[in-house]
Amino acid sequence: MILENRYHFGVATWSEQALSELRAAGYRRGLARARVIDFLDAQDCCVGAQEIHRELVARGERIGLASVYRVLDVLTEKRLAQRVDLGDGVTRFEAVRDEVDHHHHIVCDDCGRIEPFADQRLERVLRDVEKSSGYAVAGHDIVLRGACSSCR
Ligand SMILES: [Zn+2]
Ligand SMILES: [Zn+2]
Ligand SMILES: [Zn+2]
């Protein structure tokens, strides 16, 4: 049994960790909240609060937009999720799983398509810049923008 093994070795999945953080933050167990977490967990990149809300309502969940925001706020506060600002006025969120999952975004200004990319050389250069900056660097944002292959 996969579940038993997982608990046996004490390794919680991202959703399990997120749910327990919400409980610790005083959130009562709620199916809708669990759905927000499941939804975020199923994405491999960022998604806006309104889009999450729209999708959940379309699936028949009874959840308000304000609740979606509250769940996202707690997750962000606990660093289980991060805000992604792509400069179009929409705040998007994505699950923060581990170092391996770290990536950046390339955005099409014409159709709004967002693609993740990761580059180890870029990260190495950034680490060097961080070291020489004298700052305690907490993070970095990199967004490439332009026209995607269908729009150019
Ligand atoms: Zn992403
Ligand atoms: Zn495009
Ligand atoms: Zn990076």
Side-chain angles (χ1 to χ4, degrees):
M1 288 271 295
I2 293 164
L3 259 182
E4 272 175 12
N5 276 338
R6 192 200 284 158
Y7 285 115
H8 180 72
F9 293 111
V11 179
T13 64
W14 183 85
S15 354
E16 285 162 357
Q17 212 181 326
L19 279 171
S20 79
E21 290 283 358
L22 276 182
R23 272 198 296 275
Y27 282 89
R28 283 167 43 213
R29 201 191 296 263
L31 210 53
R33 277 158 200 152
R35 292 284 179 270
V36 174
I37 287 169
D38 284 346
F39 188 86
L40 212 55
D41 201 15
Q43 314 299 311
D44 48 12
C45 201
C46 53
V47 62
Q50 305 224 359
E51 191 183 339
I52 297 174
H53 180 246
R54 208 165 42 236
E55 285 289 327
L56 292 179
V57 169
R59 291 176 193 180
E61 300 295 337
R62 295 173 55 148
I63 184 169
L65 182 58
S67 302
V68 172
Y69 272 113
R70 273 201 300 277
V71 173
L72 292 171
D73 280 343
V74 175
L75 293 177
T76 306
E77 201 180 291
K78 305 285 178 190
R79 292 171 180 255
L80 282 156
Q82 63 185 5
R83 285 193 175 80
V84 178
D85 182 2
L86 300 176
D88 60 357
V90 178
T91 303
R92 294 178 178 81
F93 297 83
E94 66 186 2
V96 176
R97 293 185 182 85
D98 49 33
E99 284 288 307
V100 180
D101 197 40
H102 179 84
H103 63 265
H104 297 289
H105 302 98
I106 184 159
V107 184
C108 176
D109 286 329
D110 296 330
C111 70
R113 178 168 161 189
I114 299 163
E115 284 186 77
F117 74 90
D119 189 310
Q120 288 317 308
R121 289 164 305 175
L122 173 65
E123 299 303 330
R124 272 199 298 276
V125 172
L126 284 169
R127 274 197 294 276
D128 288 344
V129 174
E130 283 175 18
K131 262 184 225 141
S132 55
S133 72
Y135 279 61
V137 178
H140 57 256
D141 295 311
I142 293 166
V143 180
L144 302 185
R145 51 182 72 261
C148 74
S149 51
S150 335
C151 293
R152 61 185 296 174

